[in-house]
Amino acid sequence: MLRTRPPDMLAPDLQPADTAAGILQQVFGYSKFRGEQERIIEHVSSGGDALVLMPTGGGKSLCYQVPAVLRHRRERGVSVVVSPLIALMHDQVGALEELGVHAAFLNSTLSMEEAQRIEREMMSGRLVLLYAAPERVTTPRFLAQLDSLQERELLSLFAIDEAHCVSQWGHDFREDYLGLSVLHERYPEVPRIALTATADAITRADIVQRLALGDARIFVSSFDRPNIRYRIVEKDEPRRQLRRFVQEEHHGDAGIVYCQSRKKVDETAAWLLQEGVTALPYHAGLDSDVRRRHQDRFLREDGVVMVATIAFGMGIDKPDVRFVAHLDLPKNIEGYYQETGRAGRDGLAADAWMVYGLADVVNQRRMIDESPAAEDFKRRQRGKLDALLALAESHDCRRVRLLSYFDEASEPCGNCDNCLQAPATWDATEAARMALSCVYRFHQDRGRRFGAGHLIDVLRGKATDKVAQFGHQRLSTFGVGAAVSETRWRGVLRQLIAMGHLRTEGEFNTFELTPSSRKVLRGDLTLLLRESDASPKRGDGTRRTRGAKVAKPERPTLRAVPAGLDVNAQQRFAALKAWRAEVARAHNLPAFVVFHDATLTEMARLRPATLDELAQISGVGVKKLEAYGEEILRVLGGEGE
Ligand code: ADP
Ligand code: ZN
């Protein structure tokens, strides 16, 4: 999975320093563009506008950073990067300075003197990239400065990051983004590049319209993230399941655990801590200082697990997040994909893992029903939730479904739960009919409605107080489903709701039939349901293999040590990591800004003996070679073999 050259390959020809390929090689230390990067960079560098849709981790930053350096080398000039993520600007700028690219940010965390110093840098044309929040970019003062730059032909490029923030449909909407169309009106000849990982058609149309990108070329990359393994499991005892997942599969790894509520975030973080996992909470209810501190630790320390609401994550470009776990169902596939996309940006193996159950389905539906939004908006939200539920219930390749949601065709991937082990299914047509007819019988008695607990008791023929109170032991459906386990019943109900054949109502989530219930009752629909995987039945033959048969790839157990390193190389890797930690601390930057794990791994594996050999490793550019080369060789030489 490493994106590096094989060791025996000769050095590629040195590219001229004023070309995109030369900058990629010398400044960033990478040998090849990824996917659409090259075409995008060429288009923008030659003055075109672009809208870039690329998945999280796809490599969007280079799409404006390379043109910025290129244009600066050719005719000086500043590129302005609009970003909503004030908290991350410091590290983004630090990463560029590490590469030898002169960059700075302007935001509210700076003192007046600091801000003025940076403004002078910008006005002189020495600065290559300036990061600023949208509310700053649209102030009269800043626009006047841009005017002056423009008059002196020192305004190179506008990059609008997280461009979906301009759309009211997404959960990241920012009023200030609406004002950004001024850039086009005022500086029509300065190229603009807008970037986002949100790809659905409505958002895309919104971005084009509101940012006046009608003439921009749209670049849509593949949304596949092949190194991420998708797994969705039935919620049984979520904490125990999470503990097992984290401890057995991700011991010592950095990861994110998403929960729906602040309370659950706090509780889960506290509990994980008790279990010996370095976990920190993050949500909008925490003090901004606490939030910043936790985010810093997550970025800077190894192996921190962030337990968070969706308030956390946008712009987090920590490359070595090894897993993203969902303890609650997200609202839609866009959200799920964006959140899971934060795993494995470095291209190494990573997990997207989710538990979900009946209550999740019921809650998400209820939240939409009870929201004060317009009916039209709710209908859209319901449609989006349905697509996510279909993904969760599916027995075929998760990735094929995810990608097809983004209009991308693909083949079974071999790297999701369903591909790796086809889930057993069982014919639930009869059970579904029993459940629906029982709901119908309840209703016949003075329009009464009941929730899942009682319904399952009646179906299984349990003599509870409630059964006696309503005389339900006399119903024809009493005890008809005694042979079906409670877990299975929950699965049936969940999937009936997911598919819209049953719905819940009111405070107590009582059941109601829907127009499509009748099809099930009449037996017109065959329901093949996923066997519950909460209690796996290994080797008893219930699992059937369907679709593509794929061998299970080898999987390293302890991810804190990269796969494929022999003992000596592991020692070198550990020594390099210790050295990197020192440098990072001295520079007040996250370790990955100094070098990625993937780069250290290659150094440890190949053990270059000269600066020339070291320069061949992906992620080692000219500036870093100059700054750290000798030290790295010393560290590598120091480990005996
Ligand atoms: P995005 O902003 O799209 O989420 P990033 O720009 O943060 O993604 O890039 C993701 C990771 O991929 C980063 O660590 C980046 O350094 C790396 N990367 C991007 N382009 C290349 C490339 N051409 N070769 C090697 N690594 C790359
Ligand atoms: Zn698959």
Side-chain angles (χ1 to χ4, degrees), residues 397-398 413-416 419:
C397 176
R398 309 273 193 199
C413 72
N415 192 27
C416 72
C419 279

Side-chain angles (χ1 to χ4, degrees), residues 373-632:
E375 200 40 52
D376 173 43
F377 187 73
K378 289 189 189 182
R379 197 164 35 244
R380 269 184 226 241
Q381 285 188 306
R382 282 193 198 102
K384 289 183 168 206
L385 176 60
D386 285 345
L388 178 65
L389 294 175
L391 170 76
E393 300 291 356
S394 71
H395 6 111
D396 48 12
C397 176
R398 309 273 193 199
R399 194 179 313 268
V400 166
R401 286 194 177 245
L402 283 167
L403 292 176
S404 84
Y405 185 81
F406 298 115
D407 295 326
E408 197 175 324
S410 64
E411 294 293 313
C413 72
N415 192 27
C416 72
D417 49 1
N418 288 349
C419 279
L420 290 167
Q421 188 164 37
T425 51
W426 64 289
D427 187 343
T429 313
E430 253 333 285
R433 289 174 72 183
M434 289 176 192
L436 295 184
S437 75
C438 194
V439 172
Y440 179 71
R441 299 269 182 280
F442 288 161
H443 196 65
Q444 274 185 323
D445 177 18
R446 276 164 280 181
R448 287 208 163 99
R449 300 190 170 101
F450 297 90
H454 183 64
L455 175 60
I456 294 173
D457 285 347
V458 172
L459 288 164
R460 304 200 68 224
K462 242 176 159 174
T464 65
D465 290 349
K466 205 166 181 175
V467 164
Q469 184 191 344
F470 293 99
H472 282 165
Q473 69 280 12
R474 289 190 298 274
L475 290 181
S476 60
T477 48
F478 185 76
V480 286
V484 178
S485 74
E486 182 166 338
T487 316
R488 270 197 175 186
W489 273 122
R490 291 199 163 265
V492 172
L493 297 176
R494 189 187 72 234
Q495 298 188 50
L496 282 172
I497 298 173
M499 292 183 290
H501 305 314
L502 186 65
R503 60 192 207 94
T504 59
E505 256 276 308
E507 188 188 350
F508 301 109
N509 295 316
T510 53
F511 289 123
E512 261 195 357
L513 298 183
T514 71
S516 72
S517 303
R518 204 183 310 161
K519 278 191 250 165
V520 181
L521 280 165
R522 275 202 312 248
D524 290 353
L525 276 181
T526 305
L527 288 184
L528 217 51
L529 297 191
R530 241 188 118 84
E531 185 72 82
S532 148
D533 40 20
S535 46
K537 300 174 194 67
R538 288 236 166 73
D540 68 353
T542 54
R543 288 185 189 279
R544 273 174 272 156
T545 317
R546 318 163 77 244
K549 219 179 146 159
V550 204
K552 190 166 175 156
E554 283 300 315
R555 217 171 147 66
T557 41
L558 256 191
R559 213 69 59 66
V561 177
L565 293 186
D566 65 23
V567 178
N568 290 317
Q570 282 179 24
Q571 272 176 16
R572 291 194 288 272
F573 180 74
L576 287 167
K577 249 178 119 169
W579 166 81
R580 180 181 68 177
E582 266 173 51
V583 177
R585 211 169 305 123
H587 295 203
N588 184 27
L589 284 171
F592 61 78
V593 167
V594 182
F595 284 114
H596 285 184
D597 278 3
T599 304
L600 292 194
T601 308
E602 281 307 90
M603 290 177 188
R605 195 166 67 81
L606 301 175
R607 201 182 182 184
T610 65
L611 288 176
D612 267 358
E613 282 172 26
L614 182 59
Q616 301 308 305
I617 287 172
S618 181
V620 184
V622 170
K623 174 78 190 301
K624 287 186 180 173
L625 186 71
E626 197 184 289
Y628 305 126
E630 299 287 352
E631 282 177 64
I632 293 168

Side-chain angles (χ1 to χ4, degrees), residues 182-472:
V182 70
L183 298 178
H184 176 57
E185 288 149 21
R186 213 154 157 145
Y187 316 105
E189 59 282 24
V190 178
R192 289 173 306 149
I193 173 171
L195 310 103
T196 179
T198 302
D200 65 305
I202 307 173
T203 314
R204 196 187 303 182
D206 255 9
I207 296 173
V208 168
Q209 194 230 322
R210 288 167 196 244
L211 293 178
L213 283 166
D215 294 329
R217 196 138 129 213
I218 301 185
F219 294 89
V220 186
S221 297
S222 165
F223 267 64
D224 191 14
R225 298 286 312 282
N227 59 313
I228 299 182
R229 176 174 295 180
Y230 298 95
R231 280 150 74 190
I232 302 177
V233 303
E234 197 168 318
K235 202 181 265 185
D236 177 17
E237 295 169 66
R239 280 192 176 180
R240 188 184 53 77
Q241 290 171 291
L242 178 68
R243 182 179 57 204
R244 208 170 59 196
F245 171 69
V246 172
Q247 291 183 341
E248 288 178 12
E249 298 187 39
H250 288 285
H251 181 72
D253 284 344
I256 307 175
V257 177
Y258 281 110
C259 305
Q260 198 172 314
S261 70
R262 297 172 184 185
K263 182 161 169 274
K264 189 158 168 189
V265 164
D266 288 332
E267 289 169 2
T268 307
W271 172 78
L272 277 175
L273 204 58
Q274 241 174 43
E275 296 289 321
V277 178
T278 315
L280 298 170
Y282 189 105
H283 56 69
L286 292 170
D287 219 50
S288 65
D289 268 356
V290 176
R291 282 206 309 262
R292 184 154 348 114
R293 211 169 52 237
H294 288 184
Q295 177 167 304
D296 262 17
R297 283 192 59 192
F298 178 71
L299 293 175
R300 277 149 220 254
E301 287 175 27
D302 274 340
V304 173
V305 173
M306 190 71 112
V307 185
T309 59
I310 54 167
F312 177 75
M314 206 204 332
I316 292 291
D317 56 3
K318 184 175 167 64
D320 57 352
V321 175
R322 294 270 67 86
F323 69 88
V324 170
H326 280 90
L327 283 188
D328 295 304
L329 198 65
K331 284 194 171 47
N332 51 47
I333 290 186
E334 287 93 331
Y336 173 74
Y337 208 60
Q338 229 170 54
E339 285 143 32
T340 55
R342 289 168 190 145
R345 280 169 185 247
D346 52 12
L348 305 178
D351 275 304
W353 181 91
M354 175 160 85
V355 284
Y356 105 115
L358 177 58
D360 288 297
V361 182
V362 170
N363 285 342
Q364 286 290 6
R365 282 237 192 278
R366 200 178 55 193
M367 270 164 53
I368 297 175
D369 290 343
E370 290 176 358
S371 94
E375 200 40 52
D376 173 43
F377 187 73
K378 289 189 189 182
R379 197 164 35 244
R380 269 184 226 241
Q381 285 188 306
R382 282 193 198 102
K384 289 183 168 206
L385 176 60
D386 285 345
L388 178 65
L389 294 175
L391 170 76
E393 300 291 356
S394 71
H395 6 111
D396 48 12
C397 176
R398 309 273 193 199
R399 194 179 313 268
V400 166
R401 286 194 177 245
L402 283 167
L403 292 176
S404 84
Y405 185 81
F406 298 115
D407 295 326
E408 197 175 324
S410 64
E411 294 293 313
C413 72
N415 192 27
C416 72
D417 49 1
N418 288 349
C419 279
L420 290 167
Q421 188 164 37
T425 51
W426 64 289
D427 187 343
T429 313
E430 253 333 285
R433 289 174 72 183
M434 289 176 192
L436 295 184
S437 75
C438 194
V439 172
Y440 179 71
R441 299 269 182 280
F442 288 161
H443 196 65
Q444 274 185 323
D445 177 18
R446 276 164 280 181
R448 287 208 163 99
R449 300 190 170 101
F450 297 90
H454 183 64
L455 175 60
I456 294 173
D457 285 347
V458 172
L459 288 164
R460 304 200 68 224
K462 242 176 159 174
T464 65
D465 290 349
K466 205 166 181 175
V467 164
Q469 184 191 344
F470 293 99
H472 282 165

Side-chain angles (χ1 to χ4, degrees), residues 3 24 30-34 37 54-62 317 319 345-346 596 618:
R3 291 170 207 279
L24 181 75
Y30 296 139
S31 56
K32 274 207 299 282
F33 285 110
R34 265 190 205 163
Q37 279 176 337
M54 223 184 240
T56 310
K60 285 187 283 301
S61 324
L62 283 188
D317 56 3
R345 280 169 185 247
D346 52 12
H596 285 184
S618 181

